[in-house]
Amino acid sequence: MNDTAVWCLWLAGSYLVGSIPFGLLIGFTRGVDIRKSGSGNVGATNAGRVLGRKWGLICFVLDVLKGFGPTLAYGLSSGLSGLHPGDGGAQAVLGWLVVSAAAVFGHVFPVWLKFKGGKGVATGLGVVLGFWPVLTIPGLIAGIAWFVLVKITGYVSLASVAAACSLPVLAVVSGLCWQRGVGETATYAGVGLVLAMLIVIRHRGNIQRLRAGTEPKAAWAERKP
């Protein structure tokens, strides 16, 4: 089997892993179809809203792993992941990007649900964390920023968009710190930019409600009195 065929198998596998609708499946175990409650979304935010904080957190972790697993596995198998990766260059990193992006697109557009999935935040975070080491630290910083913003504002959508938009800049800084080449650093920045654009697009309705002052806060993310 040639390299292109192997890469295509990775691509398909990453998409299929990303398309597993954990929020929906968890809801089914609780006797609830979360597509018919809350926002109707199958992601972790709506799972937490409908099923409770514990189940929302479990869904979040599983959705993160959907992106983290395929991304890190491909990076390790191709020799691109690590402190001293092989000299794959920007083109090889781009192939890594496409495989990892397939997991996010699987989550957002799952074939099992007529291509109506989640918004890609948790799976996108997993993808970024899987790009060891250049994007792992930016991913952690973005994740911490997301958590802090949710606690401060109560708006998961606002925190998601803000954290996503920080990724391209953080990726450039990290690429320079890890002494990656210009082309490779630009490719990593492209990873962050693609994810940020996808997340912003998927949150169009939320952004409109935030501007109108009608966006609901996530009760499950707030501290209990």
Side-chain angles (χ1 to χ4, degrees), residues 14-27 34 41-49 51 53-72 100-110 112-113 116-130 146 156 160 195 199 202-203 220:
S14 181
Y15 171 83
L16 292 175
V17 170
S19 68
I20 301 173
F22 283 119
L24 183 64
L25 295 176
I26 291 171
I34 65 173
N41 193 275
V42 297
T45 299
N46 196 47
R49 181 182 294 117
L51 304 173
R53 180 184 298 184
K54 180 182 74 172
W55 297 107
L57 179 59
I58 291 173
C59 181
F60 179 82
V61 171
L62 291 173
D63 282 349
V64 168
L65 291 175
K66 290 195 307 187
F68 178 79
T71 301
L72 182 62
S100 63
V104 180
F105 277 88
H107 176 78
V108 176
F109 306 110
W112 327 110
L113 304 180
K116 296 179 181 179
K119 295 184 177 178
V121 176
T123 305
L125 174 61
V127 163
V128 173
L129 294 175
W146 178 90
V156 173
S160 299
L195 291 174
I199 289 171
R202 293 291 290 173
H203 284 82
W220 63 269

XYZ file of all heavy atoms in Angstrom, residues 14-27 34 41-49 51 53-72 100-110 112-113 116-130 146 156 160 195 199 202-203 220:
604
model
N -10.017 9.226 10.827
C -10.136 10.414 11.664
C -11.543 10.983 11.582
O -12.147 11.360 12.605
C -9.113 11.459 11.229
O -9.188 12.629 12.030
N -12.099 11.045 10.384
C -13.467 11.546 10.208
C -14.467 10.671 10.972
O -15.355 11.181 11.657
C -13.832 11.601 8.730
C -15.301 11.912 8.498
C -15.751 13.227 8.510
C -16.221 10.886 8.310
C -17.110 13.506 8.347
C -17.565 11.160 8.134
C -18.002 12.465 8.146
O -19.339 12.733 7.995
N -14.326 9.353 10.848
C -15.275 8.447 11.483
C -15.189 8.534 13.006
O -16.217 8.489 13.698
C -15.029 7.016 11.006
C -15.367 6.753 9.536
C -14.961 5.336 9.142
C -16.863 6.968 9.279
N -13.983 8.649 13.527
C -13.830 8.819 14.980
C -14.485 10.130 15.421
O -15.228 10.179 16.412
C -12.346 8.798 15.385
C -12.177 9.217 16.848
C -11.758 7.409 15.179
N -14.223 11.197 14.674
C -14.800 12.492 15.021
C -16.309 12.519 14.923
O -16.971 13.318 15.599
N -16.870 11.659 14.097
C -18.322 11.685 13.864
C -19.119 10.924 14.917
O -20.358 10.916 14.862
C -18.639 11.109 12.479
O -18.352 9.722 12.424
N -18.431 10.289 15.875
C -19.162 9.576 16.933
C -19.907 10.604 17.793
O -19.294 11.439 18.443
C -18.206 8.758 17.821
C -17.428 7.740 16.982
C -18.983 8.063 18.932
C -16.339 7.018 17.755
N -21.244 10.569 17.829
C -22.020 11.585 18.563
C -22.169 11.234 20.043
O -23.237 10.786 20.494
C -23.368 11.564 17.837
C -23.523 10.142 17.380
C -22.119 9.648 17.066
N -21.106 11.460 20.808
C -21.126 11.041 22.204
C -22.257 11.693 22.987
O -22.872 11.062 23.847
C -19.785 11.353 22.870
C -18.693 10.391 22.508
C -17.549 10.818 21.856
C -18.804 9.043 22.819
C -16.544 9.930 21.514
C -17.797 8.141 22.485
C -16.665 8.592 21.835
N -22.534 12.978 22.723
C -23.610 13.641 23.447
C -24.945 12.954 23.234
O -25.716 12.731 24.182
N -25.213 12.587 22.004
C -26.460 11.901 21.680
C -26.506 10.524 22.323
O -27.533 10.115 22.886
C -26.614 11.794 20.160
C -27.906 11.164 19.638
C -29.110 12.017 20.018
C -27.835 10.980 18.133
N -25.390 9.792 22.245
C -25.343 8.446 22.808
C -25.494 8.473 24.325
O -26.190 7.633 24.905
C -24.024 7.769 22.422
C -23.824 7.513 20.924
C -22.443 6.928 20.659
C -24.903 6.596 20.379
N -24.849 9.437 24.975
C -24.996 9.569 26.429
C -26.446 9.881 26.777
O -27.000 9.335 27.731
C -24.062 10.663 26.970
C -22.595 10.224 26.851
C -24.387 10.981 28.436
C -21.594 11.312 27.168
N -27.046 10.757 25.986
C -28.451 11.075 26.215
C -29.349 9.863 26.087
O -30.269 9.668 26.896
N -31.226 14.416 23.155
C -30.888 15.826 23.400
C -31.127 16.701 22.172
O -31.095 17.924 22.273
C -29.427 15.976 23.884
C -28.423 15.555 22.812
C -29.193 15.198 25.158
C -26.982 15.863 23.197
N -28.589 20.873 19.969
C -27.249 20.518 19.521
C -26.791 19.237 20.203
O -27.203 18.946 21.327
C -26.284 21.671 19.841
C -24.950 21.535 19.155
O -24.064 20.864 19.652
N -24.793 22.167 18.006
N -25.929 18.465 19.533
C -25.475 17.192 20.096
C -24.133 17.315 20.803
O -23.542 16.307 21.192
C -25.381 16.100 19.006
C -26.744 15.820 18.407
C -24.373 16.475 17.921
N -23.641 18.531 20.991
C -22.355 18.744 21.631
C -22.437 18.760 23.148
O -23.506 18.593 23.749
N -21.276 18.992 23.768
C -21.166 18.904 25.227
C -21.967 19.985 25.945
O -22.507 19.744 27.027
C -19.695 18.988 25.634
N -22.038 21.192 25.369
C -22.762 22.276 26.034
C -24.232 21.923 26.215
O -24.800 22.067 27.311
C -22.638 23.589 25.237
O -21.261 23.962 25.161
C -23.412 24.708 25.918
N -24.862 21.442 25.158
C -26.272 21.081 25.272
C -26.455 19.816 26.103
O -27.461 19.671 26.807
C -26.899 20.890 23.894
C -28.414 20.888 23.940
O -29.013 21.758 24.573
N -29.043 19.930 23.284
N -25.490 18.906 26.036
C -25.562 17.718 26.885
C -25.557 18.117 28.350
O -26.319 17.583 29.166
C -24.398 16.778 26.583
N -24.708 19.088 28.706
C -24.681 19.572 30.080
C -25.958 20.291 30.451
O -26.456 20.169 31.577
N -26.498 21.046 29.500
C -27.734 21.789 29.761
C -28.909 20.838 29.990
O -29.741 21.065 30.876
C -28.028 22.705 28.567
C -29.296 23.553 28.726
C -29.546 24.401 27.493
N -28.502 25.406 27.312
C -27.680 25.449 26.275
N -27.773 24.539 25.315
N -26.767 26.389 26.184
N -28.720 17.225 30.402
C -28.494 16.056 31.248
C -27.860 16.379 32.591
O -27.867 15.547 33.489
C -27.599 15.050 30.502
C -28.096 14.595 29.135
C -27.038 13.749 28.442
C -29.403 13.828 29.254
N -24.497 18.768 34.727
C -23.081 19.116 34.638
C -22.180 17.900 34.468
O -21.260 17.906 33.658
C -22.654 19.893 35.889
C -21.195 20.308 35.898
C -20.816 20.990 37.193
N -21.572 22.227 37.401
C -21.367 23.057 38.422
N -20.456 22.762 39.331
N -22.081 24.154 38.534
N -22.432 16.837 35.247
C -21.568 15.650 35.188
C -21.543 15.057 33.791
O -20.469 14.764 33.246
C -22.048 14.603 36.194
C -21.196 13.335 36.192
C -21.721 12.306 37.164
C -22.980 11.635 36.655
N -23.391 10.492 37.519
N -22.710 14.893 33.196
C -22.782 14.277 31.876
C -22.242 15.217 30.804
O -21.654 14.766 29.816
C -24.211 13.856 31.574
C -24.704 12.817 32.529
C -25.610 12.980 33.540
C -24.256 11.461 32.608
N -25.772 11.803 34.235
C -24.963 10.852 33.679
C -23.352 10.691 31.889
C -24.776 9.525 34.038
C -23.168 9.359 32.235
C -23.867 8.794 33.294
N -22.419 16.509 31.011
C -21.833 17.464 30.075
C -20.320 17.397 30.096
O -19.671 17.469 29.053
N -19.753 17.244 31.291
C -18.304 17.141 31.422
C -17.780 15.860 30.788
O -16.754 15.861 30.101
C -17.902 17.194 32.901
C -16.406 17.082 33.205
C -15.638 18.209 32.525
C -16.157 17.093 34.707
N -18.483 14.759 31.011
C -18.087 13.481 30.404
C -18.106 13.598 28.882
O -17.182 13.157 28.186
C -19.012 12.341 30.875
C -18.767 12.051 32.353
C -18.782 11.080 30.038
C -19.742 11.063 32.954
N -19.165 14.202 28.360
C -19.265 14.397 26.908
C -18.138 15.278 26.404
O -17.548 15.013 25.351
C -20.621 15.006 26.573
S -20.873 15.282 24.810
N -17.817 16.333 27.153
C -16.738 17.243 26.763
C -15.416 16.483 26.648
O -14.673 16.642 25.668
C -16.619 18.371 27.782
C -15.521 19.344 27.491
C -15.705 20.371 26.576
C -14.295 19.239 28.125
C -14.688 21.272 26.304
C -13.270 20.132 27.862
C -13.467 21.153 26.946
N -15.105 15.685 27.639
C -13.839 14.931 27.638
C -13.798 13.969 26.455
O -12.775 13.859 25.756
C -13.666 14.167 28.970
C -12.473 13.213 28.885
C -13.479 15.137 30.119
N -14.901 13.268 26.208
C -14.944 12.324 25.085
C -14.809 13.050 23.748
O -14.124 12.563 22.837
C -16.248 11.527 25.125
C -16.384 10.521 26.279
C -17.780 9.935 26.302
C -15.335 9.412 26.154
N -15.433 14.211 23.632
C -15.321 14.974 22.387
C -13.901 15.505 22.189
O -13.418 15.583 21.057
C -16.323 16.134 22.391
C -17.739 15.682 22.082
O -17.917 14.524 21.658
O -18.674 16.484 22.264
N -13.235 15.873 23.279
C -11.829 16.283 23.184
C -10.978 15.118 22.685
O -10.126 15.270 21.797
C -11.303 16.773 24.550
C -9.783 16.921 24.524
C -11.932 18.116 24.917
N -11.214 13.936 23.236
C -10.433 12.760 22.851
C -10.632 12.390 21.388
O -9.727 11.836 20.756
C -10.797 11.584 23.749
C -10.349 11.691 25.216
C -10.874 10.522 26.027
C -8.826 11.771 25.306
N -11.816 12.697 20.827
C -12.062 12.417 19.409
C -11.089 13.170 18.525
O -10.722 12.695 17.434
C -13.492 12.813 19.020
C -14.576 11.949 19.603
C -15.907 12.165 18.913
C -16.353 13.601 18.856
N -17.724 13.764 18.315
N -10.709 14.364 18.930
C -9.747 15.135 18.155
C -8.320 14.820 18.530
O -7.428 14.752 17.677
N -8.088 14.617 19.831
C -6.740 14.384 20.342
C -6.168 13.062 19.838
O -5.001 13.002 19.399
C -6.767 14.395 21.869
C -5.437 14.128 22.513
C -4.489 15.125 22.616
C -5.142 12.868 23.023
C -3.260 14.874 23.218
C -3.920 12.608 23.611
C -2.976 13.617 23.718
N -6.972 11.993 19.898
C -6.489 10.659 19.541
C -5.972 10.554 18.118
O -4.800 10.200 17.900
N -6.806 10.843 17.112
C -6.327 10.735 15.729
C -5.156 11.670 15.417
O -4.248 11.296 14.678
C -7.565 11.112 14.902
C -8.720 10.810 15.775
C -8.253 11.132 17.164
N -5.187 12.880 15.987
C -4.127 13.850 15.694
C -2.785 13.381 16.236
O -1.775 13.369 15.524
C -4.474 15.223 16.294
O -5.715 15.678 15.749
C -3.387 16.242 15.994
N -2.751 12.997 17.498
C -1.501 12.548 18.098
C -1.032 11.249 17.470
O 0.161 11.066 17.209
C -1.673 12.377 19.608
C -0.407 11.958 20.362
C 0.678 13.024 20.222
C -0.712 11.710 21.838
N -6.139 15.776 10.914
C -6.710 16.226 12.182
C -8.003 17.004 11.967
O -8.967 16.864 12.730
C -5.697 17.088 12.938
O -5.395 18.274 12.212
N -8.031 17.824 10.913
C -9.240 18.598 10.617
C -10.411 17.679 10.300
O -11.579 18.022 10.550
C -8.986 19.549 9.451
N -10.121 16.487 9.765
C -11.181 15.537 9.435
C -11.961 15.134 10.680
O -13.174 14.895 10.613
C -10.590 14.303 8.758
N -11.272 15.074 11.837
C -11.966 14.729 13.077
C -12.960 15.819 13.455
O -14.078 15.533 13.906
C -10.951 14.515 14.204
N -12.551 17.072 13.284
C -13.446 18.191 13.607
C -14.639 18.206 12.657
O -15.786 18.393 13.079
C -12.693 19.530 13.546
C -13.627 20.690 13.889
C -11.497 19.529 14.487
N -14.379 18.014 11.365
C -15.471 17.996 10.397
C -16.397 16.808 10.640
O -17.603 16.894 10.388
C -14.917 17.977 8.973
C -14.547 19.338 8.471
C -13.282 19.862 8.709
C -15.461 20.109 7.776
C -12.938 21.128 8.269
C -15.128 21.376 7.321
C -13.868 21.894 7.561
N -15.839 15.702 11.136
C -16.677 14.574 11.494
C -17.634 14.924 12.621
O -18.802 14.523 12.617
N -17.131 15.686 13.589
C -17.985 16.105 14.710
C -19.053 17.097 14.252
O -20.207 17.005 14.656
C -17.123 16.754 15.799
C -17.913 17.301 16.944
N -18.438 16.508 17.936
C -18.286 18.574 17.251
C -19.095 17.258 18.803
N -19.018 18.525 18.409
N -18.658 18.038 13.406
C -19.579 19.081 12.954
C -20.561 18.556 11.919
O -21.741 18.937 11.912
C -18.788 20.271 12.386
C -19.727 21.341 11.807
C -17.908 20.900 13.471
N -20.075 17.650 11.046
C -20.913 17.119 9.962
C -20.898 15.584 9.974
O -20.370 14.950 9.063
C -20.411 17.631 8.603
C -20.301 19.126 8.514
C -19.056 19.736 8.459
C -21.440 19.922 8.490
C -18.941 21.117 8.374
C -21.337 21.306 8.399
C -20.089 21.910 8.349
N -21.479 14.964 11.008
C -21.452 13.490 11.095
C -22.392 12.838 10.088
O -23.559 13.225 9.962
C -21.926 13.222 12.536
C -22.787 14.405 12.863
C -22.171 15.574 12.148
N -23.747 10.036 10.232
C -24.819 9.278 10.884
C -26.032 10.157 11.201
O -27.134 9.630 11.376
C -24.310 8.663 12.194
C -22.878 8.270 12.159
C -21.845 8.867 12.824
C -22.291 7.198 11.420
N -20.658 8.245 12.561
C -20.896 7.208 11.699
C -22.799 6.226 10.559
C -20.025 6.291 11.133
C -21.927 5.315 9.993
C -20.557 5.350 10.287
N -25.831 11.469 11.320
C -26.902 12.373 11.739
C -27.271 13.347 10.629
O -27.655 14.488 10.891
C -26.479 13.149 12.996
C -26.061 12.305 14.207
C -25.665 13.195 15.371
C -27.198 11.362 14.608
N -25.581 16.857 10.638
C -25.980 17.875 11.601
C -25.385 17.522 12.959
O -25.940 16.735 13.708
C -27.504 17.969 11.691
C -28.164 18.416 10.400
C -29.676 18.459 10.547
C -30.333 18.887 9.240
N -31.823 18.917 9.359
N -24.208 18.094 13.249
C -23.508 17.747 14.465
C -23.298 18.917 15.398
O -24.085 19.867 15.426
N -22.215 18.857 16.172
C -21.908 19.889 17.145
C -21.174 21.058 16.525
O -21.074 21.186 15.304
N -20.621 21.911 17.386
C -19.978 23.133 16.912
C -18.454 23.041 16.850
O -17.798 23.971 16.415
C -20.412 24.306 17.788
C -21.909 24.584 17.644
C -22.349 25.799 18.420
C -23.833 26.060 18.180
N -24.327 27.230 18.954
N -17.894 21.933 17.298
C -16.479 21.669 17.074
C -15.517 22.204 18.100
O -14.301 22.079 17.930
N -16.012 22.796 19.192
C -15.108 23.422 20.155
C -14.258 22.383 20.884
O -13.029 22.464 20.895
C -15.900 24.268 21.170
C -14.952 24.843 22.229
C -16.638 25.393 20.467
N -14.906 21.394 21.505
C -14.164 20.400 22.275
C -13.262 19.554 21.386
O -12.100 19.296 21.715
C -15.141 19.499 23.043
N -13.774 19.119 20.248
C -12.967 18.308 19.336
C -11.823 19.134 18.753
O -10.709 18.633 18.579
C -13.843 17.736 18.211
O -14.944 17.023 18.784
C -13.054 16.769 17.338
N -12.092 20.403 18.465
C -11.033 21.293 17.995
C -9.940 21.463 19.037
O -8.751 21.496 18.713
N -10.332 21.569 20.306
C -9.340 21.659 21.382
C -8.493 20.400 21.420
O -7.264 20.468 21.576
C -10.046 21.861 22.724
C -9.146 21.826 23.960
C -8.103 22.934 23.908
C -9.980 21.941 25.243
N -9.138 19.245 21.264
C -8.387 17.993 21.249
C -7.384 17.935 20.116
O -6.257 17.469 20.287
N -7.779 18.429 18.937
C -6.871 18.476 17.789
C -5.649 19.324 18.113
O -4.504 18.926 17.864
C -7.603 19.035 16.550
C -6.613 19.492 15.490
C -8.532 17.982 15.971
N -5.876 20.500 18.662
C -4.764 21.400 18.973
C -3.831 20.763 19.996
O -2.601 20.806 19.854
C -5.300 22.749 19.491
C -4.162 23.624 19.991
C -6.061 23.474 18.388
N -4.392 20.150 21.030
C -3.566 19.494 22.043
C -2.759 18.343 21.444
O -1.653 18.036 21.909
C -4.443 18.967 23.178
C -5.167 20.014 24.031
C -6.082 19.333 25.030
C -4.175 20.921 24.738
N -3.286 17.714 20.399
C -2.605 16.580 19.775
C -1.423 16.965 18.908
O -0.598 16.107 18.575
N -10.759 29.733 28.021
C -12.167 29.355 27.862
C -12.829 29.152 29.220
O -13.904 29.692 29.485
C -12.255 28.085 27.029
C -13.650 27.564 26.829
C -14.511 27.882 25.821
C -14.340 26.620 27.660
N -15.700 27.199 25.974
C -15.631 26.429 27.090
C -14.002 25.934 28.832
C -16.558 25.562 27.660
C -14.940 25.071 29.394
C -16.193 24.898 28.805
N -20.857 30.295 27.368
C -19.969 29.324 26.742
C -19.623 29.759 25.321
O -18.486 29.602 24.874
C -20.631 27.930 26.728
C -19.793 26.946 25.933
C -20.820 27.417 28.149
N -15.929 30.355 23.859
C -15.473 29.499 22.763
C -14.909 30.318 21.608
O -13.839 30.007 21.067
C -16.631 28.631 22.261
O -17.122 27.795 23.286
N -9.502 26.369 12.437
C -10.361 26.003 13.551
C -11.129 27.213 14.071
O -12.324 27.121 14.379
C -9.535 25.374 14.676
C -8.939 23.994 14.398
C -8.042 23.562 15.533
C -10.045 22.976 14.180
N -15.212 27.591 14.080
C -15.931 27.791 15.333
C -16.740 29.086 15.304
O -17.890 29.135 15.762
C -14.947 27.774 16.523
C -14.441 26.336 16.727
C -15.600 28.307 17.794
C -13.312 26.215 17.718
N -19.768 28.497 13.115
C -20.758 27.658 13.784
C -21.464 28.392 14.922
O -22.508 27.935 15.403
C -20.089 26.395 14.326
C -19.576 25.453 13.248
C -20.703 24.802 12.499
N -21.433 23.845 13.318
C -22.540 23.233 12.940
N -23.085 23.508 11.771
N -23.144 22.362 13.732
N -20.898 29.520 15.373
C -21.492 30.292 16.462
C -22.150 31.582 15.958
O -22.365 32.513 16.745
C -20.432 30.634 17.513
C -20.061 29.485 18.404
N -19.155 28.519 18.028
C -20.496 29.135 19.652
C -19.031 27.641 19.014
N -19.831 27.987 20.007
N -25.265 25.159 33.873
C -24.419 24.056 34.349
C -22.978 24.483 34.582
O -22.241 23.827 35.318
C -24.443 22.899 33.345
C -23.873 23.246 31.989
C -24.555 23.731 30.930
C -22.513 23.142 31.571
N -23.716 23.937 29.859
C -22.455 23.578 30.227
C -21.340 22.722 32.199
C -21.267 23.603 29.509
C -20.145 22.744 31.477
C -20.126 23.182 30.151
